[in-house]
Amino acid sequence: MNRKKSVLISAQEKELLQRLKNSKSKDNAFRELVNQSKKNLYFQIRRLLLNHEDTNDVLQNVYLKIYRSIQKFKEESKLSTWMYRIAYNESINYLKSKEKKYFFSSEIMYNTMINNLRQDPYFDGDELDIKLQSIISKLPPKQKLVFQMKYYQNKKFKEISQILGTSEGALKASYHLAKNKIKKQISENQTF
């Protein structure tokens, strides 16, 4: 038996969705959606890509995908959850294509990304932040994202589960593994 999960969508989100799906109001509603969501989506993508220009490129692709496929949104989750899922998939696809095109391995790519982070005028962290980002960047993609969503964005496992399409139990295990790997790296590298 296939049961649809009940999702609590606010009246405000419902109204925005109606305007997004109406050809006459779609453009204005989409501008509103971008204004509401761009900061959160930017930082979700940025935590994976670590580079301002790459993040902006992926963010544009995310919004293009959202604009083109809003009619297909089935309202089985919150709109923001659906958008985060698109952002996650686009970010992972971008990293994979970048790795294939420019690098021999993920490790070389992440080392290059961390070095570029030091040069990035939009990064406002210090050397400790760079070291932490270096450790986080070496985690497997799903562990990294789960850790970042939980630690930086304070998202609940239930919401992360909806975004990533993974069970809460598996996410808790990923978070625990990521946290332990980070602690281990910090304790082994006492130069912090």
Side-chain angles (χ1 to χ4, degrees):
M1 180 188 294
N2 244 354
R3 284 191 209 175
K4 265 190 180 178
K5 288 183 179 177
S6 174
V7 177
L8 296 175
I9 297 177
S10 70
Q12 184 180 12
E13 185 171 308
K14 196 81 158 152
E15 186 268 332
L16 178 60
L17 277 168
Q18 287 173 345
R19 290 189 297 130
L20 284 165
K21 291 183 177 188
N22 180 324
S23 61
K24 292 179 182 175
S25 58
K26 183 176 183 177
D27 289 343
N28 285 335
F30 190 73
R31 275 191 285 279
E32 186 179 322
L33 178 70
V34 169
N35 286 332
Q36 290 174 4
S37 63
K38 67 183 170 188
K39 183 177 178 182
N40 289 335
L41 282 178
Y42 172 88
F43 283 109
Q44 178 189 341
I45 296 166
R46 177 69 188 255
R47 286 187 184 97
L48 287 170
L49 304 184
L50 302 179
N51 177 283
H52 175 70
E53 285 79 20
D54 292 345
T55 299
N56 275 339
D57 289 346
V58 170
L59 186 60
Q60 286 179 10
N61 290 341
V62 167
Y63 280 122
L64 186 60
K65 209 166 222 173
I66 290 167
Y67 186 85
R68 288 181 176 165
S69 58
I70 194 68
Q71 294 296 338
K72 297 175 187 171
F73 178 59
K74 297 176 185 169
E75 300 180 34
E76 294 173 353
S77 67
K78 288 182 179 180
L79 180 60
S80 61
T81 301
W82 180 69
M83 291 169 51
Y84 275 124
R85 178 111 177 131
I86 292 171
Y88 169 74
N89 289 336
E90 287 294 307
S91 298
I92 295 301
N93 289 340
Y94 181 84
L95 287 173
K96 285 178 183 175
S97 70
K98 191 172 184 175
E99 182 180 355
K100 257 186 216 175
K101 191 172 183 178
Y102 299 110
F103 301 98
F104 300 113
S105 72
S106 295
E107 187 174 339
I108 293 170
M109 181 178 71
Y110 287 122
N111 287 338
T112 302
M113 290 169 69
I114 292 298
N115 288 334
N116 290 342
L117 186 60
R118 284 187 169 90
Q119 316 297 314
D120 190 338
Y122 296 99
F123 180 71
D124 62 355
D126 58 15
E127 191 60 31
L128 183 61
D129 290 325
I130 289 175
K131 287 179 181 178
L132 179 59
Q133 288 304 317
S134 177
I135 292 169
I136 292 170
S137 74
K138 291 176 181 140
L139 294 171
K142 192 163 257 182
Q143 282 181 18
K144 176 173 36 173
L145 189 60
V146 170
F147 179 81
Q148 291 169 333
M149 292 174 106
K150 186 73 178 146
Y151 183 78
Y152 290 114
Q153 297 173 342
N154 203 25
K155 290 193 177 300
K156 305 270 187 241
F157 284 113
K158 183 176 183 176
E159 185 177 1
I160 299 170
S161 171
Q162 292 171 339
I163 292 168
L164 300 181
T166 305
S167 73
E168 288 182 52
L171 292 174
K172 288 176 183 177
S174 288
Y175 180 74
H176 181 72
L177 287 169
K179 200 166 73 170
N180 286 343
K181 286 177 184 178
I182 292 168
K183 282 181 182 178
K184 182 179 178 194
Q185 283 293 315
I186 289 172
S187 68
E188 287 176 359
N189 186 356
Q190 292 298 321
T191 60
F192 279 90

